Amino acid sequence: MADPSNLLQVVQLGTAFLRRHGIEKPRLEAEVIIAHILQINRIDLYVQYERPCSQSERASMRLALQRRAQGIPSAYVTGHREFYGLDFEVGPDVLIPRPETETLVAWVLKEVTSAFAPTIRPLELWDAGTGSGCVVAALTANDQGFRGIGVDVSPGAVKIAQRNILALGLED
C-alpha cells in the first residue's frame, strides 16, 4: 500500500488492497480496521477525510490490513466485535459473535421474559460455552430481571468473558 496523504486516500487504498485479496465487502472491512486503528468512529473517516495520517498510523494500518488480507477475520484483527449494541473483546480463544445469535437474544428477551416475568424474577440463566460472554451480557444488559453466569472450559475464553463483563459494568 503506497503512502496516502489523507484519510480518504487511506480508505480507498485499503479497500483496493483488500479487494485484490478477495475479501468480501472490502470497503466495510477497510473502514472498520482503519477506524479501529485511529480510535475513531467509521463516520469520522468521511467527516475528517482530509486529515493526514502519521507514519506510525499508516504502518499500523498497513499491518492490520495485511493480516485481514491473509484471511484473519477483522474481529480478530481489531480484537472487537459489536453484538446486540454492545462492544465485546474477542480473540482466537473465542468464537466471533454471530448475527444469528443476536436473533436468539432477541427471542429470549421477548418470549422468555413475557412467559416468566410475571411470576419469576430474577430470571436466572446459565450460559455453557460462554466464549466472549456476549449472550449472558446482552441479556442482562437489556433486562434488569435477568441474572446469569457464563462458564467455559477454555481459560482464555473465561478471561475474555470476565473482561467483557467488567467493561460493560455487569459484574453484579
Side-chain angles (χ1 to χ4, degrees):
M1 189 165 105
D3 282 341
S5 63
N6 65 44
L7 210 43
L8 182 59
Q9 290 175 332
V10 167
V11 172
Q12 291 169 337
L13 287 171
T15 300
F17 177 76
L18 294 179
R19 183 176 290 117
R20 282 193 310 272
H21 285 85
I23 301 299
E24 246 182 79
K25 302 180 183 174
R27 181 77 171 216
L28 172 64
E29 299 259 356
E31 289 172 355
V32 167
I33 291 168
I34 293 166
H36 172 77
I37 296 294
L38 297 175
Q39 298 180 336
I40 61 176
N41 294 316
R42 278 181 47 219
I43 190 69
D44 292 327
L45 296 171
Y46 299 98
V47 172
Q48 303 173 24
Y49 69 94
E50 290 184 355
R51 173 192 185 270
C53 296
S54 71
Q55 208 169 21
S56 65
E57 288 172 333
R58 290 193 311 265
S60 294
M61 288 180 235
R62 201 173 291 117
L63 287 173
L65 290 167
Q66 287 171 347
R67 290 182 68 213
R68 181 63 191 106
Q70 293 167 353
I72 298 169
S74 60
Y76 290 157
V77 171
T78 64
H80 291 270
R81 172 64 125 226
E82 187 264 334
F83 179 85
Y84 217 77
L86 303 169
D87 180 50
F88 287 89
E89 175 188 340
V90 296
D93 288 324
V94 301
L95 296 174
I96 298 168
R98 303 205 28 94
E100 297 85 5
T101 310
E102 288 185 330
T103 303
L104 169 71
V105 169
W107 181 84
V108 169
L109 286 170
K110 181 181 177 201
E111 300 298 328
V112 173
T113 302
S114 65
F116 296 102
T119 57
I120 302 171
R121 283 297 185 166
L123 293 171
E124 296 182 357
L125 63 106
W126 183 51
D127 184 15
T130 198
S132 65
C134 65
V135 172
V136 70
L139 289 170
T140 57
N142 284 280
D143 187 326
Q144 298 290 346
F146 275 100
R147 204 171 71 197
I149 187 166
V151 296
D152 206 296
V153 297
S154 164
V158 169
K159 288 178 183 172
I160 288 174
Q162 287 174 328
R163 286 194 298 267
N164 283 328
I165 295 299
L166 289 171
L168 295 167
L170 299 171
E171 59 272 13
D172 289 339

